[in-house]
Amino acid sequence: MSNAKSRHFQLQRLADGVYAAVASEGGYAICNAGIVDTGDRTIVFDTFISLNAAKDLLRVAKRLTPQNVIRVVNSHYHSDHVRGNQVFPPDVDILSTATTLEGIAHEEPEEIEWEREDIPKAIVDTKSKLRLEKDPKRRRELVLSIVYYEAIMKSLPKLKTRLPNITFEGDLMMHGTRRQVELLSLSGHTASDLVLYLPDEKIVFMGDLLFVNMHPYLVGGSPERWRKSLRKIGKLEVQTLVPGHGPVGKPSDLSLVDQYIQTLESIARNMVKMGKSPEAVSLQPVPPPFDNWYSSLEGIFAMNLDFLYKYANQEAQRAHWTAELTST
Ligand SMILES: [Zn+2]
């Protein structure tokens, strides 16, 4: 199976015809992807951030299921899950929700411009931080950040945003000759997060609604909706959960992310209640049991806390005005 290998990801067989492509540390995939043989079609779930990693994904999908027509699904609009779309041949359909299509079309031009201007400097800065850093955990995160930036830089010159060509709202069922595949429409990490659920195998590809042993990225999402989505997946009683980032997980990883969101929310609310300034956010230590989690981009914990601090501040202001209005 030498053809099914890539330096960017490790292929993990979860069931007959069901594979997770788990991003290798130091490779350019950055996020995880899935390959699912439905019998007559092969679904590729997410396409990585780098064109080279995506080319390997396409090669592996073809190698595993040479007889099948390939279909791509984008879980959500974030660049690390969709940029590989363009390496798939033009006759390969790319499916997403309408909200995800809008997200890619709206966010990518601005993001690409920002990256062209700012990433070269970010690489230089991160490399100089790395030279001074002694702590092994911090060093690992800085190295991962550099790899993340380099993955982007390598693809930028050839990047041409390829949007999904089939969109839908709500859930979508695919009745393959070999198995049933359900695309379930959830949200919380973004306004639209698709998960790919295999009811017979009790496997779910979670996109970024799940991170395993890593800080999930909460910024721009909705903590309430995220937790609601996690509860919904919990009810499906799945056994194997493929996260958007990190190793393949188990059901208890759902509750850990739920607990992470709740813990950070309560830290943020307390900070607002005690009148702490936004600057105090960066001084907050990572609470256990999350202090041994890492990030593929440095500083995710502080970004999350800053986001939830602002969220809690708005909440407090809304409560204040409601109280004022009802007392007059
Ligand atoms: Zn994401």
Side-chain angles (χ1 to χ4, degrees):
M1 283 262 284
S2 62
N3 257 356
K5 283 212 161 110
S6 167
R7 77 171 192 89
H8 302 293
F9 57 85
Q10 278 171 7
L11 199 66
Q12 207 171 321
R13 186 183 164 280
L14 305 176
D16 214 16
V18 182
Y19 304 86
V22 179
S24 304
E25 201 166 312
Y28 289 163
I30 307 298
C31 81
N32 299 334
I35 299 173
V36 178
D37 178 5
T38 71
D40 45 358
R41 302 271 195 286
T42 294
I43 315 290
V44 173
F45 186 73
D46 283 342
T47 59
F48 302 145
I49 199 166
S50 117
L51 303 184
N52 283 341
K55 278 180 197 156
D56 283 3
L57 184 64
L58 171 61
R59 172 174 53 77
V60 170
K62 276 185 177 165
R63 159 89 184 175
L64 291 170
T65 55
Q67 72 289 355
N68 282 3
V69 172
I70 292 177
R71 261 181 187 168
V72 166
V73 173
N74 289 146
S75 64
H76 65 295
Y77 79 86
H78 285 161
S79 58
D80 52 333
H81 295 254
V82 305
R83 285 204 179 154
N85 285 0
Q86 80 180 72
V87 313
F88 287 79
D91 61 346
V92 168
D93 286 323
I94 301 184
L95 284 72
S96 79
T97 64
T99 309
T100 290
L101 167 76
E102 276 168 36
I104 303 170
H106 188 258
E107 299 294 331
E108 276 291 271
E110 216 170 290
E111 178 135 344
I112 290 167
E113 204 184 301
W114 175 86
E115 288 169 355
R116 286 209 166 105
E117 279 176 21
D118 292 351
I119 286 196
K121 189 180 174 308
I123 293 178
V124 174
D125 291 349
T126 315
K127 281 184 175 166
S128 43
K129 272 192 212 167
L130 181 64
R131 275 193 290 274
L132 301 170
E133 187 60 60
K134 295 274 186 292
D135 176 59
K137 186 169 177 285
R138 290 267 311 139
R139 286 186 63 87
R140 183 186 182 196
E141 285 189 354
L142 290 170
V143 169
L144 288 176
S145 300
I146 295 166
V147 171
Y148 184 92
Y149 294 142
E150 284 176 351
I152 293 172
M153 286 310 288
K154 275 250 156 56
S155 294
L156 272 184
K158 288 188 188 153
L159 205 59
K160 255 184 96 188
T161 303
R162 176 157 173 214
L163 297 172
N165 63 316
I166 298 180
T167 62
F168 57 96
E169 295 289 358
D171 303 340
L172 186 79
M173 308 295 151
M174 295 184 192
H175 309 277
T177 52
R178 189 174 182 186
R179 58 170 49 91
Q180 164 119 344
V181 173
E182 302 186 3
L183 298 176
L184 308 179
S185 242
L186 300 169
S187 64
H189 172 65
T190 66
S192 171
D193 298 287
L194 273 182
V195 304
L196 187 154
Y197 170 51
L198 303 174
D200 295 333
E201 293 80 5
K202 295 280 170 202
I203 296 171
V204 65
F205 290 83
M206 290 287 292
D208 279 358
L209 283 172
L210 185 69
F211 284 56
V212 172
N213 299 340
M214 290 175 81
H215 290 271
Y217 186 67
L218 307 181
V219 180
S222 154
E224 294 90 3
R225 284 204 215 164
W226 193 324
R227 295 186 53 222
K228 199 172 153 198
S229 296
L230 294 173
R231 285 197 295 275
K232 229 168 160 175
I233 298 296
K235 286 193 187 131
L236 299 176
E237 294 182 346
V238 282
Q239 300 297 320
T240 309
L241 299 95
V242 182
H245 300 264
V248 174
K250 46 192 185 307
S252 57
D253 292 308
L254 289 172
S255 13
L256 275 175
V257 171
D258 191 343
Q259 200 189 325
Y260 179 94
I261 297 172
Q262 287 190 72
T263 306
L264 268 68
E265 271 186 313
S266 84
I267 296 173
R269 285 196 185 117
N270 267 332
M271 288 178 69
V272 170
K273 214 160 98 189
M274 292 166 69
K276 291 208 177 164
S277 71
E279 290 72 35
V281 164
S282 60
L283 303 172
Q284 284 289 327
V286 182
F290 313 111
D291 45 350
N292 60 356
W293 284 12
Y294 68 101
S295 314
S296 52
L297 201 54
E298 60 155 338
I300 300 277
F301 172 75
M303 289 183 218
N304 285 339
L305 200 55
D306 179 62
F307 173 68
L308 293 177
Y309 174 89
K310 285 172 185 147
Y311 208 85
N313 226 340
Q314 283 166 3
E315 230 174 38
Q317 266 164 23
R318 264 199 304 275
H320 172 75
W321 286 117
T322 316
E324 289 272 299
L325 287 171
T326 45
S327 67
T328 50

